[in-house]
Amino acid sequence: MAGMATVRTPGVFEGYSGKLGSLVFRRSAYGTQMLERQRPKQPNTPAQVAARNRLSRAGKAWKALSMEEVAEWRLYARTLGRDPKGFRMDPNNVFSRLALKVLQVNPEAEIPTLPPATPFSGDGIAASVAAAPGAVVLNIQVGNAPGVVTEVLVQRVSSLHCAAYPEKFRSRGFSAWTAGGSVSVPVSAGVWAVAVRAVRSATGQSGELMEIGRVALG
């Protein structure tokens, strides 16, 4: 929810959380906050349109599953344990997360109707990062296994020593890495944290997000 205004709430709203028309209420350490939703300045950028298309396809694919296929996803979700809040993993969410990653790697791919047959913990990729004019360059030391690609993500930070947060990294694309090759990511001036994660193309399974370096561009 980008660009929201915050105001103090009247007493009648204390303890309330949720949405009311164009307003959003949430609890904080300072009481209930009322925030006004604001429309994004550019709601139809190519990236936003692509993201909505992926969500639409994933939703339609879930609804098209047979009862037997849904049962398989329920069983698979149980094997994943519980989420950080202690709830069992929802099979719809598990399916959607993997489907969206498959489409993010390849928008023309077919969404799998059955869950992955084997676990995936990542790939042994390795690279160093360097600054180039208008770009971050990743020099690849260890490439991907067959059927696996690497997602490159970046996050602008205040300084080389400032913390980077996993949820603030933004994807800059996927490619199959080969040792000795390189990947160039256009960025503006500033300090950038660079992270990668391996993704199994056919299933959407991902390894852990790994920050591999930082560069400063003048």
Side-chain angles (χ1 to χ4, degrees):
M1 218 175 295
M4 294 183 295
T6 304
V7 298
R8 296 181 64 182
T9 62
V12 68
F13 289 116
E14 282 306 314
Y16 178 80
S17 63
K19 298 176 183 178
L20 182 62
S22 63
L23 302 177
V24 177
F25 298 86
R26 70 182 182 191
R27 298 178 186 179
S28 74
Y30 305 100
T32 300
Q33 292 180 307
M34 182 172 67
L35 304 98
E36 183 179 1
R37 281 172 166 288
Q38 293 184 359
R39 294 181 180 273
K41 294 181 180 179
Q42 295 179 305
N44 291 306
T45 64
Q48 289 169 325
V49 170
R52 288 198 292 269
N53 287 340
R54 290 194 296 268
L55 284 168
S56 176
R57 282 194 61 190
K60 291 176 181 177
W62 173 258
K63 291 180 181 179
L65 294 179
S66 68
M67 290 179 60
E68 293 76 15
E69 289 166 342
V70 171
E72 291 292 328
W73 282 99
R74 286 200 184 99
L75 289 173
Y76 178 71
R78 289 175 189 169
T79 70
L80 301 179
R82 297 177 180 269
D83 66 18
K85 293 184 178 180
F87 296 104
R88 289 191 179 277
M89 301 295 286
D90 179 78
N92 189 344
N93 290 341
V94 172
F95 171 88
S96 297
R97 185 178 68 244
L98 294 178
L100 290 173
K101 187 60 69 175
V102 167
L103 296 177
Q104 199 178 4
V105 174
N106 178 10
E108 305 303 320
E110 291 293 325
I111 297 174
T113 58
L114 292 174
T118 58
F120 178 73
S121 58
D123 209 356
I125 50 177
S128 60
V129 296
V136 170
V137 177
L138 292 83
N139 295 303
I140 302 167
Q141 298 154 353
V142 180
N144 290 120
V148 180
V149 295
T150 297
E151 181 179 15
V152 177
L153 307 95
V154 297
Q155 178 181 160
R156 192 169 185 170
V157 292
S158 300
S159 71
L160 288 171
H161 308 294
C162 181
Y165 301 93
E167 69 276 8
K168 292 186 178 181
F169 277 100
R170 295 294 176 262
S171 178
R172 291 298 180 88
F174 303 77
S175 60
W177 280 14
T178 302
S182 64
V183 175
S184 180
V185 179
V187 293
S188 58
V191 180
W192 294 89
V194 183
V196 297
R197 64 179 158 215
V199 179
R200 187 177 277 171
S201 305
T203 64
Q205 292 166 285
S206 301
E208 290 187 8
L209 182 72
M210 302 181 295
E211 185 179 339
I212 61 172
R214 299 186 177 197
V215 295
L217 279 75

